[in-house]
Amino acid sequence: MCEANVYLLNHDTEESELLMEAVDRIIPTDGEIMLESIFGQRKILKAKIKEMALLDHKIILEKL
């Protein structure tokens, strides 16, 4: 399986909170990112990719 879990960085605690599981599509646009899971769930948020650890199936986003 190639999907990843997406986390959102919390600047107050410097920890990441799980935002969405089993994401298989990430579509960046001007200042926004659209996430889509293998279950058809979608989320759009104003964020940028901070880190991608693909061997760990983990993507960390940072709010804009």
Side-chain angles (χ1 to χ4, degrees):
M1 299 281 209
C2 296
E3 58 275 344
N5 292 334
V6 176
Y7 297 84
L8 187 61
L9 181 65
N10 183 331
H11 285 288
D12 295 333
T13 62
E14 290 300 318
E15 303 225 353
S16 303
E17 302 172 20
L18 181 62
L19 180 65
M20 190 179 220
E21 294 181 298
V23 172
D24 69 339
R25 291 184 74 197
I26 298 175
I27 301 171
T29 59
D30 293 331
E32 292 185 333
I33 293 181
M34 195 268 291
L35 307 171
E36 186 175 320
S37 76
I38 60 172
F39 308 112
Q41 179 185 20
R42 287 185 178 174
K43 288 188 181 182
I44 298 174
L45 62 149
K46 293 184 185 264
K48 66 178 182 176
I49 296 172
K50 179 164 178 70
E51 178 181 346
M52 295 175 67
L54 298 179
L55 287 177
D56 295 329
H57 303 274
K58 186 176 185 178
I59 298 168
I60 299 174
L61 301 180
E62 184 175 12
K63 279 187 180 179
L64 292 179

